[in-house]
Amino acid sequence: MSLEVKTVQPNVIVNPTVSKPESKLKGFLSQLLMNKAATVGAFIIIIYILLAVFAPLIAPYSPYEIDLENKMMPPSSDHWMGTDDKGRDILSRILYGSRLSMGVGFAAVLFGAFIGIIFGLVAGYYGRWVDTVIMRIMDVMLAFPGILLALAIIAALGPSLINVTIAVGAFSVPLFARIVRGSTLEVKRLEYIDAIRSLGANDFTIIFKHIFPNILSPIIVQATLRLATAILSAAGLSFLGLGAQPPSPEWGTMLSSGRDFLFSAPFIALFPGIAISILVLGFNIFGDGLRDAFDPRMKK
Amino acid sequence: MYDSDKPVLEVKGLKTHLTTKNGVSKAVDGIDFSLHKGETLGIVGESGCGKSMTSLSILRLIPSPPGKIVDGSILFKGKNIVEMSEDQLRKIRGNEISMIFQEPMTSLNPVIPVGEQIAEALRLHQKLGKKDAWQNSIEMLKLVGIPSPEKRAKQEPFQLSGGMRQRVMIAMALACRPEVLIADEPTTALDVTIQAQILELIKKLQAKIGMGVIMITHDLGVVAETCDKVAVMYAGNIVEHAPTEQLFSDPKHPYTKGLLNSLPRIYEDQDELATIEGNVPSPYHLPEGCRFASRCAHREAICDRKLPELIEQSDGVKVRCWMYTDQWALHEEKEEVL
């Protein structure tokens, strides 16, 4: 033992202090936290997610429990946000509704992003006619206003929350495809793509292992901003009666049923409206903050 | 089967042209060379003379469009790379012929730990499990002289210096023990001290693995230090091909002479460095005759009329210049008669 210890030389110069692997992530997070708006946005989103997850524990009443004796009660200590036209507790409905609204938003964006990313990667990587065909289809989809496209899809599939998810996801597809295609074009010209190809990698490996991870930041920013739009559109479609059907506590549906009582009991429509606005605001400012944090020019 | 006396790589009449909206650029216009195992061939020339295009052509990595190999053959152990399918090519790339690129700063994927990138090279060609590949990649890092390889392997490229990244690139390229290594300006982006280390490393590994090396560079110092023979390229052609010593002691082609003349010399007092007057002709509009004619001090009428062939002068020395042909003698006699 002692002999071995003697032969070991202290390795000072050869082994300089090296920053730890997580320093990249740390730097990014501190960048993000420095942006006050983004922090507020993240805070709002986290609160909504917690409320959605723990809705059964927090909600004072069942969202479906009808109590016709106490219908259209203004906010009080028993019912913080009042009751609706059938006497259901609005606070409880909003808490449960947050699961539906955010669920639809996340599902729609995931669906749209998944297809859009694949289209964008393939179009950008292969170029030529593949690019032309895919991107012209995307252009056609972009030519329709989003809501109109969604209406057409729901008209074809029938009104339901799942079809709303599909419809809202579908009009996110071209947006993701465009962003991903642009970034792919940029990354595929870089030397390390040539280097990995010179090692014998196939197209699949190059696209998904070497290009995709390097274009994640614009995708994440776009996804966050799209979440806001998706939640809003889903609520809008439900408001029009194309999505969740009563008595579902979906926010858009609640708004819709509250609009008949705007003058007699404005709080029925007001609170779901506020819930939607704050959540959308949260996603928007968080998305803007993310974009700034990812932007290398903003780094100090 | 393949005979070990034969060259491992043989390029014959290779023409790689780029078709753009400005016309056809003859980036590589009919070049020949061969490479044996253990041998180092230098390809020198100024920017845009087609040397990088040549190296990319060998692995069929030219961006297409606009690039296309329009003629010639590239024989690797007797098999023509020009005619191979993508699948066959992938089995050769990184496995039997590897490449090191110029820019170590951008030639590694920024988001993947370097050890994993080397392991990937191994897993592409050898059916190794994750663990074995990782162990092997640490071995490779050790081989290319990176201290504490276990730790470095887990780091991402941005945590390594330029010289270290170039070592990682070499480790990736050599992971599968290729028979040919193409080094495209491997030291251009590095400090002079690091340059010497990297060249030394390539030399050492060449001796160990026994591969043939194609050293592409514009630096005659690198050539003198590393190469057995040299091909000098000018405007898509090889103008002179000679063993390194001969090339430096007795350059034949006026362009080679000009290149050597323009090197700074330590032992002579020079006020100004010598230059070669004029410009390289545009690859879109190459002259009919000798491509160097417009800059050549020995220019004669015949030079503008026809492109000279690359003709063997003495053992291993080939020159593409009318001065070393019978026509030149005839031409001079005629002048005298007149």
Side-chain angles (χ1 to χ4, degrees):
Chain A
M1 268 308 270
S2 58
L3 269 175
E4 265 181 44
V5 173
K6 271 179 197 166
T7 55
V8 175
Q9 304 257 327
N11 225 352
V12 185
I13 310 158
V14 181
N15 205 355
T17 42
V18 174
S19 49
K20 285 175 188 155
E22 62 260 28
S23 60
K24 222 177 179 179
L25 183 68
K26 257 189 198 161
F28 170 73
L29 281 179
S30 69
Q31 187 77 28
L32 189 63
L33 288 176
M34 261 165 41
N35 184 330
K36 289 215 177 68
T39 317
V40 173
F43 189 68
I44 293 173
I45 295 168
I46 290 169
I47 297 233
Y48 266 85
I49 291 176
L50 289 177
L51 289 178
V53 170
F54 296 109
L57 298 177
I58 306 167
Y61 302 89
S62 154
Y64 300 108
E65 194 183 271
I66 293 172
D67 179 6
L68 290 173
E69 278 173 32
N70 286 318
K71 66 180 186 178
M72 293 203 275
M73 297 280 282
S76 66
S77 57
D78 280 345
H79 300 282
W80 289 5
M81 292 182 183
T83 58
D84 68 4
D85 58 322
K86 297 192 176 61
R88 292 172 295 206
D89 180 52
I90 293 176
L91 173 63
S92 305
R93 285 176 69 74
I94 284 180
L95 286 171
Y96 275 95
S98 64
R99 296 177 147 192
L100 291 174
S101 289
M102 281 203 285
V104 170
F106 278 109
V109 170
L110 272 180
F111 167 69
F114 181 75
I115 295 180
I117 287 168
I118 290 179
F119 277 169
L121 282 169
V122 168
Y125 183 75
Y126 289 103
R128 295 203 264 182
W129 67 267
V130 181
D131 185 24
T132 313
V133 170
I134 291 179
M135 292 323 286
R136 286 309 78 75
I137 294 173
M138 296 299 120
D139 284 348
V140 170
M141 287 177 79
L142 276 177
F144 290 100
I147 281 289
L148 197 64
L149 187 68
L151 282 175
I153 293 172
I154 291 167
L157 299 176
S160 83
L161 209 51
I162 290 177
N163 292 345
V164 164
T165 311
I166 294 172
V168 172
F171 73 76
S172 303
V173 168
L175 297 166
F176 281 100
R178 275 198 163 179
I179 286 173
V180 170
R181 172 184 175 266
S183 308
T184 305
L185 284 176
E186 203 176 297
V187 170
K188 87 166 178 182
R189 278 201 313 264
L190 297 179
E191 223 170 9
Y192 66 83
I193 299 298
D194 279 338
I196 196 70
R197 188 175 293 130
S198 84
L199 287 174
N202 59 22
D203 289 348
F204 187 84
T205 315
I206 295 173
I207 292 176
F208 290 102
K209 192 164 174 196
H210 295 278
I211 294 180
F212 178 61
N214 281 297
I215 58 171
L216 267 179
S217 38
I219 295 176
I220 292 172
V221 172
Q222 178 68 10
T224 315
L225 294 172
R226 278 314 289 172
L227 268 170
T229 324
I231 289 168
L232 201 57
S233 316
L237 288 166
S238 290
F239 179 83
L240 296 174
L242 300 169
Q245 301 299 321
S248 161
E250 208 279 333
W251 295 343
T253 317
M254 288 170 72
L255 256 179
S256 169
S257 61
R259 74 173 188 250
D260 295 336
F261 314 104
L262 269 184
F263 294 102
S264 52
F267 48 87
I268 298 180
L270 182 68
F271 288 112
I274 290 175
I276 296 173
S277 312
I278 293 179
L279 180 58
V280 168
L281 179 74
F283 274 117
N284 270 329
I285 58 182
F286 181 61
D288 285 341
L290 268 183
R291 187 176 50 205
D292 291 348
F294 276 127
D295 188 344
R297 276 166 303 185
M298 306 286 280
K299 278 195 184 130
K300 288 184 181 160
Chain B
M1 265 307 276
Y2 164 69
D3 181 358
S4 61
D5 289 343
K6 277 191 184 161
V8 60
L9 188 75
E10 236 183 323
V11 175
K12 287 180 188 163
L14 178 70
K15 286 188 184 183
T16 304
H17 292 181
L18 306 170
T19 313
T20 65
K21 35 179 199 267
N22 300 329
V24 176
S25 159
K26 296 176 178 171
V28 179
D29 201 25
I31 64 167
D32 306 79
F33 61 79
S34 62
L35 183 74
H36 287 80
K37 269 197 137 183
E39 193 178 42
T40 306
L41 165 73
I43 298 183
V44 277
E46 51 202 288
S47 330
C49 73
K51 49 191 198 307
S52 284
M53 270 314 208
T54 307
S55 66
L56 290 173
S57 300
I58 294 172
L59 276 177
R60 291 248 315 264
L61 287 170
I62 11 163
S64 166
K68 198 170 180 244
I69 297 177
V70 291
D71 198 14
S73 60
I74 300 162
L75 299 175
F76 174 69
K77 294 206 272 186
K79 284 173 283 180
N80 192 352
I81 289 179
V82 177
E83 285 162 6
M84 279 184 190
S85 69
E86 268 300 309
D87 270 341
Q88 290 174 302
L89 271 175
R90 271 201 294 273
K91 282 185 193 128
I92 286 188
R93 286 178 189 158
N95 192 24
E96 299 185 277
I97 305 180
S98 274
M99 197 159 169
I100 310 174
F101 289 83
Q102 193 176 134
E103 260 303 334
M105 303 315 255
T106 56
S107 296
L108 290 166
N109 188 334
V111 300
I112 300 181
V114 293
E116 220 172 280
Q117 299 196 44
I118 301 170
E120 186 171 358
L122 285 157
R123 290 174 66 196
L124 281 170
H125 297 292
Q126 297 168 5
K127 286 182 184 113
L128 287 181
K130 249 192 170 157
K131 251 191 183 161
D132 291 338
W134 181 259
Q135 270 313 315
N136 265 328
S137 82
I138 288 172
E139 283 303 309
M140 282 312 294
L141 285 175
K142 217 179 275 172
L143 188 69
V144 296
I146 288 186
S148 47
E150 283 91 353
K151 208 167 139 198
R152 290 292 182 186
K154 289 181 199 138
Q155 294 184 338
E156 285 171 22
F158 77 100
Q159 292 166 303
L160 305 182
S161 68
M164 260 209 253
R165 287 189 215 187
Q166 196 59 297
R167 283 172 194 265
V168 171
M169 289 298 303
I170 293 174
M172 277 169 81
L174 298 186
C176 298
R177 318 265 152 164
E179 292 180 51
V180 175
L181 175 71
I182 303 169
D184 188 355
E185 311 228 10
T187 58
T188 308
L190 303 172
D191 289 345
V192 187
T193 44
I194 310 290
Q195 276 187 15
Q197 289 175 17
I198 294 290
L199 291 176
E200 202 52 49
L201 175 68
I202 293 177
K203 239 182 183 176
K204 197 183 92 190
L205 295 174
Q206 181 181 20
K208 201 165 184 172
I209 299 173
M211 64 207 173
V213 175
I214 298 179
M215 185 72 70
I216 293 179
T217 178
H218 61 254
D219 187 340
L220 287 164
V222 170
V223 170
E225 223 169 297
T226 56
C227 300
D228 301 313
K229 56 185 188 181
V230 193
V232 181
M233 279 188 79
Y234 187 80
N237 281 149
I238 290 179
V239 293
E240 182 163 357
H241 187 296
T244 309
E245 274 177 35
Q246 253 112 316
L247 188 97
F248 280 88
S249 61
D250 182 19
K252 294 273 196 275
H253 196 280
Y255 177 62
T256 318
K257 286 180 187 169
L259 275 186
L260 291 172
N261 257 332
S262 55
L263 287 180
R265 287 181 198 84
I266 291 182
Y267 302 110
E268 284 170 35
D269 223 3
Q270 285 172 297
D271 287 337
E272 232 177 272
L273 291 176
T275 53
I276 306 175
E277 293 288 325
N279 283 314
V280 187
S282 151
Y284 293 104
H285 310 285
L286 288 171
E288 233 173 273
C290 173
R291 288 168 191 180
F292 187 63
S294 63
R295 306 169 75 180
C296 183
H298 309 280
R299 181 182 188 176
E300 293 291 346
I302 189 169
C303 301
D304 289 325
R305 241 179 288 137
K306 216 178 149 212
L307 184 69
E309 299 285 319
L310 188 66
I311 295 168
E312 183 142 6
Q313 297 299 313
S314 53
D315 197 27
V317 180
K318 292 182 212 162
V319 190
R320 190 188 285 278
C321 179
W322 286 118
M323 284 206 303
Y324 302 94
T325 61
D326 303 338
Q327 268 99 328
W328 192 264
L330 283 174
H331 186 81
E332 295 217 311
E333 272 167 32
K334 251 192 246 166
E335 299 247 303
E336 275 166 29
V337 173
L338 285 169

